[in-house]
Amino acid sequence: MTKLISTRDASAVRQTYSDVLLQGLAPDGGLYVPQSFPQMTLAALEGLRGASYAVIAATVKKMFTEGSIPDAVIDALSIDAYSEKNFTQERAGVVTPVREVHKNFFIQNLSLGPTASFKDMAMQMLSREMHYQLTQEKKHLAILGATSGDTGSAAEAALKGFDTVSICMLSPKEGMSDFQYAQMGMLSGGNVHNVSIQGRFDDCQDLVKRIKQLPDFAHMGAVNSINFGRICSQIAYYVAGYLQVVQTIGDSIDVSVPSGNFGNVLSAYYAKQMGLPIRNLIVATNENAVLHRLFSSGVYALTPAQVTSSPSMDISKASNYERLVFDILGYDAVKTARYMQTFEKDKTVALADFGMQPNIFAEKGFRSGSSSHAQRLETIRHVHERSGNVIDPHTADGVGVALTYFDATANIPMLCMETALPVKFEHTIRQALGHLPERPERFADLESHVASDAFTTLPPSQDALVAYLRSIAFTQ
Ligand SMILES: *Cc1c(COP(=O)(O)O)cnc(C)c1O
């Protein structure tokens, strides 16, 4: 049975998947990680060839939930989560189709869910697991989170209507696209509350952290990628993508991942730890290049985030990086806590000060790069000319960086993650291509469905937020 431990707990108290599902950070401020990784053999991978996404996802998930949630429950939740009512499927069972842009250079579409970003992939499953667990425990959970746009709508769409949860998402007044704003606004009401903070995403995230330290709000749940359930669900699409692009099971692939909070690419790293033959993990950033600087220099340094045309990657610190730190420091919780505390205090921390060579990242397979607005536009045009496909600005960051690493003669497939549909960021698409992207039928007129009172606007103040949460009786 796979047990989870906190990255900052030296006594390594072991928890089960269902124990951590309803929690955010561990009580010591750390993040939950598997104590060891279950292994997928090549024979097991071979056995999944041709399987539906629901089956692939359930197979991977059960390696973590076995002994804590019954296998039959995971099977049923997975079938429901990844059904055609949630994910547009051109071929039944193929939820994350790949398309080839250059020979051996692929884009895997993770954005065919209800809110058109890859966040739906994990959220649709996580919401069902949470509802199952809360029903078992006869509990109600209040979830407070921060979003730069996509987590909010994905979480709200997935949790809307479940009587076991209420959810309140803080989003920045600046930076989100009109489409993202409308998607969340439409979901307001019932168990869904939307707060617009007069500030940036980092202000929202800081507020959530501070509120969760108050005794009245300490037990709230989390739906961002600090929740292990999200990271865990994301492993499945790397398996699904791998099976679609290799000729022979056992061949290696490279993956490229548009990155912000480091959740998506961490799932790829976990897939690699489980035995999926991934050679390089390319971490692509936009102008907010904290991660690119980290992977090229070994120094993790905070810089204020700026608003860019790939706004879901506009972050100044990457929460999930702590999970990689723990791994690199040999599962030493004391060192990890010291590393993170150094970063929190000094706003910068070097691996070298912890006895590690900066090339440790490269040894683990990590590569990185960053992309500017102009490069993003150029990549959108390039992919469009080459293949007729329109990709969104975040995906373009990943594709652009991947192209700099791609060796067409090496015969190693490059698999780029498509993290959102272009319709979410149509102004940037128009700038790149001179026309708007196609709008899927289900999003027609989206913006006109938002009520004027869909968002409560607040300053970035803890007191104001506490008063608001009390006014809507938002506690567990
Ligand atoms: C959330 C998001 C990202 C960043 O993913 P992380 O897991 O935070 O690294 C990239 N692109 C899009 C479209 C997103 O919504």
Side-chain angles (χ1 to χ4, degrees), residues 141-381:
L141 186 70
I143 296 169
L144 179 69
T147 180
S148 56
D150 295 329
T151 293
S153 56
E156 291 174 357
L159 290 166
K160 178 106 191 159
F162 280 132
D163 58 8
T164 46
V165 282
S166 5
I167 175 164
C168 175
M169 293 302 299
L170 312 184
S171 54
K173 201 151 184 71
E174 246 185 283
M176 281 201 299
S177 72
D178 296 344
F179 189 94
Q180 287 179 305
Y181 195 77
Q183 272 187 313
M184 289 181 66
M186 252 179 70
L187 293 161
S188 284
N191 65 335
V192 172
H193 308 277
N194 278 309
V195 174
S196 183
I197 296 289
Q198 292 159 320
R200 301 268 168 92
F201 169 64
D202 288 315
D203 298 313
C204 300
Q205 202 165 34
D206 284 346
L207 273 172
V208 171
K209 279 200 182 140
R210 280 193 278 139
I211 296 270
K212 287 187 177 176
Q213 283 163 12
L214 305 175
D216 278 4
F217 300 98
H219 296 289
M220 288 193 297
V223 283
N224 61 353
S225 49
I226 64 169
N227 188 315
F228 178 72
R230 252 184 71 177
I231 301 294
C232 188
S233 282
Q234 292 171 179
I235 296 170
Y237 52 72
Y238 289 98
V239 177
Y242 176 85
L243 295 172
Q244 291 177 79
V245 301
V246 292
Q247 254 150 24
T248 309
I249 302 290
D251 289 354
S252 289
I253 64 165
D254 290 343
V255 298
S256 177
V257 190
S259 294
N261 238 342
F262 201 67
N264 197 351
V265 69
L266 182 77
S267 297
Y269 181 61
Y270 282 1
K272 179 173 165 135
Q273 310 265 85
M274 292 172 73
L276 190 70
I278 297 177
R279 182 186 62 166
N280 290 340
L281 304 126
I282 300 168
V283 181
T285 72
N286 61 23
E287 292 87 338
N288 295 298
V290 183
L291 289 170
H292 173 45
R293 283 192 296 272
L294 165 68
F295 286 105
S296 38
S297 70
V299 178
Y300 184 40
L302 185 84
T303 38
Q306 60 186 95
V307 174
T308 74
S309 53
S310 45
S312 302
M313 292 155 61
D314 291 347
I315 57 100
S316 58
K317 39 188 164 177
S319 309
N320 281 291
Y321 170 52
E322 177 165 344
R323 289 185 157 119
L324 181 64
V325 171
F326 185 68
D327 178 282
I328 279 174
L329 297 178
Y331 283 42
D332 184 330
V334 175
K335 264 196 191 172
T336 303
R338 200 152 45 79
Y339 180 97
M340 294 314 301
Q341 280 149 9
T342 305
F343 174 71
E344 278 148 31
K345 187 161 94 8
D346 301 343
K347 311 290 176 221
T348 176
V349 56
L351 266 187
D353 294 339
F354 286 75
M356 309 304 295
Q357 303 295 330
N359 68 357
I360 179 89
F361 292 127
E363 277 169 19
K364 302 262 177 192
F366 286 99
R367 302 287 183 274
S368 69
S370 74
S371 164
S372 66
H373 178 70
Q375 287 166 321
R376 208 168 292 139
L377 297 183
E378 184 50 42
T379 306
I380 292 170
R381 281 194 284 269

Side-chain angles (χ1 to χ4, degrees), residues 452-475:
S452 56
D453 60 353
F455 287 83
T456 301
T457 303
L458 295 178
S461 131
Q462 179 176 320
D463 292 346
L465 184 57
V466 167
Y468 168 76
L469 293 174
R470 291 202 199 288
S471 78
I472 60 164
F474 195 81
T475 49

